[in-house]
Amino acid sequence: AKGAQDADLRDYLSKIQESGETLLSLINGILDFSKIEAGKLELENTRFQLDKVLQKSVNLNSLRAHHKGLELVCEIDPQIPTELIGDPLRIQQILVNLISNAVKFSDHGAIGIKMQLISREGAELELQGAVSDNGIGISPEQQQQLFQSFHQADDSITRKYGGSGLGLAICKQLCELMQG
């Protein structure tokens, strides 16, 4: 009986922790969204290494990916300089959100994270990040509305997978702030 009580207690604590993390994520999303909408979000302009930002982003999603049996595969274009200047925290925020969505909606296979150099004019670089998965997919009609705030593909997605519908809207706004 003691083992069953311990298992129940662990289950309750796990659900409490998960609920707390969900609430914190929602609050942080709303705060970021509000800052961006008010024009109060200032981007950092500091030196950073893209490979380290990418590794942190993968690490933050690796436990959930591992539990689902998913492999996270990274590829960085060798033409991208080792050191960049920009806002590593916001780039990481975008990557974490995209990788998290891929993990959330995938049940098998690998998730690919790819960074490519698109163009270079002097010291200015245009990079493209892509996250690919074997997830549930999304129709062209749903894709048209995907980056709107508080929007998800449909209500069944929200019920089954959770989320606030803010993540991709914030990613879009952050990319636009970085001239993307």
Side-chain angles (χ1 to χ4, degrees):
K2 175 106 169 97
Q5 288 175 334
D6 287 347
D8 286 344
L9 184 58
R10 275 193 297 280
D11 184 49
Y12 292 142
L13 291 174
S14 173
K15 287 176 181 169
I16 290 168
Q17 181 178 3
E18 189 175 306
S19 296
E21 288 171 359
T22 300
L23 183 58
L24 182 60
S25 176
L26 178 61
I27 291 168
N28 284 334
I30 291 170
L31 288 172
D32 281 345
F33 184 77
S34 298
K35 280 184 204 171
I36 294 168
E37 288 288 302
K40 301 290 184 188
L41 185 78
E42 293 186 26
L43 295 177
E44 191 177 353
N45 214 12
T46 188
R47 293 184 184 278
F48 70 95
Q49 294 177 328
L50 183 60
D51 62 332
K52 290 185 178 176
V53 170
L54 188 56
Q55 191 59 53
K56 284 181 187 176
S57 302
V58 167
N59 288 347
L60 289 169
N61 285 286
S62 62
L63 186 60
R64 278 189 35 227
H66 176 73
H67 284 306
K68 293 181 85 174
L70 301 169
E71 183 180 2
L72 300 173
V73 180
C74 299
E75 181 183 338
I76 298 179
D77 186 339
Q79 296 180 50
I80 298 174
T82 305
E83 194 169 81
L84 300 173
I85 297 176
D87 192 329
L89 182 64
R90 296 305 175 182
I91 292 171
Q92 179 179 320
Q93 183 177 0
I94 293 166
L95 289 170
V96 165
N97 187 280
L98 296 177
I99 296 167
S100 175
N101 281 350
V103 171
K104 183 191 306 185
F105 294 113
S106 297
D107 289 325
H108 67 280
I111 293 170
I113 303 106
K114 187 174 186 178
M115 297 299 292
Q116 274 187 284
L117 177 64
I118 300 299
S119 67
R120 181 179 201 155
E121 289 186 34
E124 298 254 335
L125 301 177
E126 180 181 356
L127 303 180
Q128 180 180 33
V131 176
S132 58
D133 61 57
N134 297 314
I136 62 173
I138 186 164
S139 72
E141 296 80 27
Q142 292 168 329
Q143 289 175 24
Q144 298 300 316
Q145 300 172 353
L146 201 56
F147 293 95
Q148 294 177 11
S149 41
F150 301 106
H151 189 275
Q152 291 186 313
D154 63 45
D155 290 338
S156 68
I157 300 276
T158 306
R159 281 190 297 275
K160 183 173 181 180
Y161 296 100
S164 65
L166 278 176
L168 292 178
I170 291 169
C171 287
K172 178 181 183 226
Q173 290 174 327
L174 289 173
C175 287
E176 289 170 351
L177 284 172
M178 292 184 254
Q179 288 79 51

